[in-house]
Amino acid sequence: LLWAMESLAWNPKYLGQAACLLARIGRLDPPGGHYTNRPLNSLRNIFVWWMPQTCADFADRMDVVDLIRKEDAAIAWKLMLTLLPGDHEFLNPSQKPQWREIPPELPEQGNTHALLREAEAIAVRLLEDVGATTERWVSLIESFPKLPQKYLEQADAELSARAHSFDDNDRNAVWGALRQLLHKHRNFADADWALPEEILSPLDSIYAAFAPSDPIKRIAWLFNG
């Protein structure tokens, strides 16, 4: 069934229907396991910026992403996080039609312009959809290194403004995600992938704003396994 949807998605005429069906199947897909042939992976491979597995152009692909956002916001959120450009990406090629030809070379594959355009388009949508949902903020914080800088600054500002709108448990979750981000990139500051200090420093005040008022909770992470 996944292969059938992947085959149909090559045709721009059927992309919207095929992608929405994959999203519906993804909603039913139980979590866990290591099997990679999953609906969300099929969706990601169709839209990935550096080698999209569809003949639809960029504008049409983003229209379909917006359609999935309307039909299934939870699946759309997971999909968009996987579409942020990152290092060491890989692709399992989608199933291709056996009886219909597709263009031998698809336009706009793997160039810097395509990367920036996709990163900005996805970042805009993530910031529109993150809202006040703790789980989304935690996953977005984990993806901060992939956001273009101007959208990272926008995310910082929005998160700072929401610092007092979360309850204690939610504040702790966001605080923990920020701590892991800051510690990871400062502990490996010399690594190529590490965020520079000028990007990390503004997060210090946000991290402090989310810190628990209970002194025990503020240091409990030091005693984790």
Side-chain angles (χ1 to χ4, degrees):
L1 182 59
L2 296 183
W3 289 351
M5 295 301 101
E6 291 173 7
S7 296
L8 288 169
W10 284 98
N11 189 328
K13 179 179 178 181
Y14 304 125
L15 174 60
Q17 289 175 288
C20 286
L21 283 169
L22 283 169
R24 289 172 63 186
I25 300 170
R27 192 189 317 148
L28 303 174
D29 188 27
H34 301 287
Y35 197 53
T36 59
N37 190 22
R38 311 288 283 267
L40 186 59
N41 288 337
S42 294
L43 268 178
R44 180 258 181 187
N45 291 342
I46 290 169
F47 293 99
V48 68
W49 68 272
W50 51 276
M51 192 177 289
Q53 303 291 285
T54 177
C55 296
D57 62 21
F58 174 77
D60 287 341
R61 296 199 304 271
M62 290 301 102
D63 284 344
V64 175
V65 169
D66 290 337
L67 181 60
I68 299 172
R69 290 166 68 203
K70 293 179 182 178
E71 298 235 340
D72 196 313
I75 292 296
W77 180 261
K78 293 179 182 179
L79 171 63
M80 290 190 294
L81 288 175
T82 70
L83 294 180
L84 284 172
D87 297 326
H88 310 297
E89 292 190 88
F90 66 94
L91 173 74
N92 292 318
S94 293
Q95 179 75 12
K96 294 182 179 179
Q98 297 184 36
W99 304 106
R100 296 192 183 190
E101 293 184 358
I102 61 173
E105 293 185 7
L106 300 178
E108 302 172 339
Q109 287 192 355
N111 57 55
T112 303
H113 172 70
L115 182 152
L116 293 175
R117 185 180 57 181
E118 174 109 2
E120 291 188 352
I122 296 300
V124 167
R125 288 162 171 79
L126 287 170
L127 290 173
E128 287 177 354
D129 293 352
V130 64
T133 308
T134 306
E135 292 79 6
R136 290 190 181 183
W137 271 113
V138 169
S139 60
L140 185 60
I141 290 168
E142 293 170 352
S143 298
F144 271 11
K146 299 180 179 180
L147 290 178
Q149 185 168 350
K150 68 177 181 179
Y151 297 100
L152 181 55
E153 292 170 356
Q154 182 179 338
D156 289 353
E158 186 167 342
L159 185 59
S160 179
R162 293 180 180 274
H164 301 290
S165 63
F166 294 94
D167 63 28
D168 286 345
N169 289 333
D170 291 341
R171 287 166 59 84
N172 286 349
V174 173
W175 183 68
L178 287 169
R179 183 184 66 251
Q180 290 180 16
L181 178 75
L182 290 168
H183 287 195
K184 176 181 178 180
H185 288 265
R186 282 176 171 156
N187 286 339
F188 298 94
D190 294 333
D192 292 338
W193 48 261
L195 290 173
E197 188 59 32
E198 57 264 28
I199 290 180
L200 296 175
S201 292
L203 291 171
D204 286 333
S205 60
I206 304 174
Y207 176 64
F210 275 89
S213 56
D214 185 340
I216 300 297
K217 291 182 178 179
R218 284 204 301 272
I219 63 169
W221 65 272
L222 291 167
F223 299 91
N224 288 340

